[in-house]
Amino acid sequence: MSDPNRFALAPRLPEGELDPGALVGAPGKTVELEVGPGRGAFILERLAGNPEARLIGLEIKRKWSTIVDERIRQRGLAARGRVFCEDARLALPRFPGQSVSIAYFHFPDPWWKKKHQKRLVLTPTLLDELTRVVVSGGELFVQTDVEERARTYEAVIDQHGGFTPTGDSARVADNPYGAMSPRERRATADGLPIFRLRYTRG
């Protein structure tokens, strides 16, 4: 029988000065960051498929941060990946500047109606922090299956100015990272459109 209190002990970022690379076996090196890994399909697939990748996930739900961090360890990938129970809006200010190579947002903000606009995760304030922590030439990748949400993200990111489209347009047809989130996989299987945005830090 599982311990009913196991989620109360969800992994948290260490206190004090933070070195993200040291948390995944590479002190002083940059990491890839997934905000809201949920059930962990992307981070697990990315770690398994790319032996050079080192990822940190920030997941606000204690249950999923605990389960996914355990799965990473069980699959022998804990030297290169961790998931912590943290709100990115509070955790990112603790990250040193120029410490993230790629920031991923896969289907964030499930509350997509206009009345939930104030609950957006990808806000100008968070973009300020992302601009600070993502290295020059690093990437920001956002995808959603709600077109209105994609337009909102695109407008917020373009207006902020910390990131520029990687190509002629931020919109890209494919996910180039060799890993998929469950929602992305489901939408692909069902033939539903996915709106992807890829940006570069100047």
Side-chain angles (χ1 to χ4, degrees):
M1 183 180 296
S2 63
D3 181 356
N5 296 317
R6 64 190 286 235
F7 302 138
L9 303 175
R12 304 297 302 269
L13 287 170
E15 296 183 359
E17 187 174 350
L18 191 63
D19 178 355
L23 301 175
V24 288
K29 302 294 186 180
T30 59
V31 301
E32 298 178 19
L33 174 70
E34 184 181 8
V35 176
R39 300 186 182 211
F42 177 85
I43 193 170
L44 286 163
E45 192 173 353
R46 177 73 173 160
L47 288 168
N50 186 339
E52 301 300 318
R54 297 182 183 275
L55 274 81
I56 288 176
L58 300 178
E59 171 55 54
I60 199 168
K61 294 182 179 178
R62 288 184 295 178
K63 174 181 176 179
W64 288 114
S65 60
T66 302
I67 290 174
V68 176
D69 197 56
E70 288 176 353
R71 287 175 179 168
I72 290 172
R73 185 172 63 253
Q74 290 164 358
R75 297 185 190 188
L77 300 168
R80 297 188 292 110
R82 293 292 311 275
V83 173
F84 298 97
C85 182
E86 302 286 350
D87 184 332
R89 295 168 293 188
L90 302 177
L92 272 184
R94 297 187 55 210
F95 277 55
Q98 305 280 298
S99 59
V100 173
S101 56
I102 309 173
Y104 305 103
F105 290 77
H106 302 291
F107 303 86
D109 305 309
W111 312 279
W112 55 269
K113 295 182 179 179
K114 286 185 177 180
K115 66 180 180 180
H116 297 307
Q117 190 87 0
K118 63 183 180 181
R119 301 175 72 172
L120 279 176
V121 172
L122 200 56
T123 62
T125 299
L126 192 67
L127 283 166
D128 286 342
E129 291 299 329
L130 289 168
T131 301
R132 183 181 64 82
V133 302
V134 173
V135 297
S136 179
E139 298 178 32
L140 171 63
F141 184 67
V142 185
Q143 56 182 350
T144 177
D145 54 359
V146 180
E147 186 171 13
E148 179 184 344
R149 213 22 121 221
R151 288 197 297 266
T152 298
Y153 297 143
E154 198 168 12
V156 169
I157 296 168
D158 288 348
Q159 185 173 15
H160 182 271
F163 294 84
T164 58
T166 300
D168 293 336
S169 166
R171 301 276 182 123
V172 294
D174 299 312
N175 172 349
Y177 303 104
M180 300 173 72
S181 74
R183 191 161 170 181
E184 180 182 9
R185 197 176 299 279
R186 188 166 59 248
T188 300
D190 292 341
L192 299 176
I194 299 173
F195 306 95
R196 299 180 175 96
L197 306 172
R198 191 180 185 193
Y199 292 88
T200 300
R201 174 75 177 94

